[in-house]
Amino acid sequence: MIRFILIQNRAGKTRMAKWYIPLEAHEKQKLIEEVHALVTVRDARHTNFVEFRQYKIVYRRYAGLYFCICVDTYDNNLSYLEAIHNFVEVLNEYFQNVCELDLV
């Protein structure tokens, strides 16, 4: 089950956030900061899956944006990677060569 979806740039600015669990504003901000710190320091040679609290973050970097999905640990990693890729393809088709400013 998806817990939240984040799209962030390299500087940590959140371009999109969708929450599927109820959280207070300060808890959301803390999660955003923790996820950014976790995924931006990872080397490209590592997998796109990382343990996060009692969940798992599945992420993919496209240009300067990180697309992150927080899911349960038993969910299928590759299906979420494919979902991220499909989402980016749809954005690219809709915006004709999508860039970060299109998401703002």
Side-chain angles (χ1 to χ4, degrees), residues 7-11 39-40 44 59-67 84-85 88 92 97-101 103:
I7 301 176
Q8 299 175 305
N9 64 12
R10 282 183 267 187
V39 299
T40 56
Y59 70 95
R60 185 108 186 236
R61 181 177 170 206
Y62 286 94
L65 292 175
Y66 291 91
F67 292 77
I84 291 171
H85 181 71
V88 171
N92 197 38
N97 294 325
V98 68
C99 68
E100 182 177 344
L101 295 177
L103 300 177

Side-chain angles (χ1 to χ4, degrees), residues 40-82:
T40 56
V41 297
R42 289 178 58 89
D43 190 16
R45 295 176 299 187
H46 292 122
T47 63
N48 291 347
F49 325 117
V50 61
E51 299 271 333
F52 178 71
R53 298 184 180 181
Q54 69 267 26
Y55 304 113
K56 181 172 38 178
I57 301 291
V58 179
Y59 70 95
R60 185 108 186 236
R61 181 177 170 206
Y62 286 94
L65 292 175
Y66 291 91
F67 292 77
C68 306
I69 300 178
C70 180
V71 297
D72 293 327
T73 56
Y74 55 83
D75 285 350
N76 186 341
N77 299 336
L78 296 178
S79 66
Y80 288 110
L81 269 180
E82 186 65 25

